Amino acid sequence: CIECQSGRFADTMGRLSCELCDEGSYTQFNGASFCVACPAGFAGSNCKACVAGKYRGNSDPVAYCENCTEGYYQSEKGRSTCFGCTPGMFTGKVGQASCEPCPKGFVQKYQFGKKCDPVPPGAIAFGGTESFGGTESISVAKGWYMTNCEHGQCSNSKPCAPGSKSFLIPNASCALCDAGKSSYEGKMH
């Protein structure tokens, strides 16, 4: 008699051949008399590990691994769940292995971010993760102007130089003082 190989079983004595395990099950050893269901994090023929960006929980179908949804990621293979992106981070696609930081001029205030939002007019955002400013925007004060701007989104500001002023928001630039007037750095009027 020949032992049934991995992925095959013989559940009764006197079998002429070994049978294949059903999709989503496997044998734990050669010569098995039964198959067992794939553990969480594994699926399909011979229970292959789910790749990064995918998962399979105990109650999910055993034939395939599911993609992590937008706002979630999984960086390791063979896992049973996905993790939510932290504030300041996002995933705009399904099946991602990691979250991306918000770009400069955009914020994501909540966990499980699917996208980052542009800051309101007159405000700046540094972009990045929660600990590096990707969750909050800062209003640009009168007497200052916005810098590091791309596509209408800005990530920094500077005070107006002496002899100039800024009193409108958003402050894209500073204006020179009228003749007969002067100002110090960061002046509003």
Side-chain angles (χ1 to χ4, degrees):
C1 295
I2 300 171
E3 279 189 337
C4 295
Q5 297 300 305
S6 177
R8 296 179 172 271
F9 72 101
D11 58 353
T12 58
M13 292 175 56
R15 297 286 304 232
L16 296 177
S17 63
C18 300
E19 294 190 35
L20 281 173
C21 292
D22 290 334
E23 186 83 16
S25 63
Y26 72 109
T27 56
Q28 295 175 311
F29 48 85
N30 289 344
S33 60
F34 60 91
C35 299
V36 293
C38 295
F42 295 78
S45 300
N46 293 323
C47 297
K48 292 181 179 85
C50 297
V51 297
K54 296 185 179 234
Y55 73 99
R56 191 187 77 75
N58 280 326
S59 60
D60 293 325
V62 293
Y64 55 91
C65 298
E66 300 275 352
N67 281 320
C68 295
T69 59
E70 291 176 328
Y72 290 80
Y73 74 100
Q74 179 49 261
S75 58
E76 299 178 17
K77 65 180 188 173
R79 297 301 178 167
S80 61
T81 187
C82 296
F83 302 105
C85 296
T86 58
M89 305 286 284
F90 76 104
T91 61
K93 299 176 188 173
V94 299
Q96 297 301 299
S98 63
C99 299
E100 298 178 44
C102 292
K104 291 179 181 179
F106 290 80
V107 295
Q108 171 46 261
K109 295 181 180 186
Y110 309 104
Q111 191 161 354
F112 318 119
K114 296 178 184 178
K115 65 182 180 77
C116 297
D117 298 313
V119 298
I124 59 172
F126 303 110
T129 64
E130 181 176 16
S131 58
F132 292 108
T135 59
E136 298 295 329
S137 60
I138 301 168
S139 294
V140 176
K142 291 178 181 176
W144 289 61
Y145 69 101
M146 297 183 293
T147 63
N148 293 355
C149 299
E150 287 183 29
H151 309 293
Q153 300 303 317
C154 304
S155 63
N156 209 345
S157 65
K158 291 183 179 179
C160 292
S164 64
K165 63 182 179 175
S166 176
F167 54 89
L168 299 174
I169 293 182
N171 307 332
S173 63
C174 299
L176 293 176
C177 293
D178 295 332
K181 295 183 178 181
S182 67
S183 72
Y184 54 87
E185 184 177 73
K187 181 71 176 158
M188 292 185 262
H189 312 94

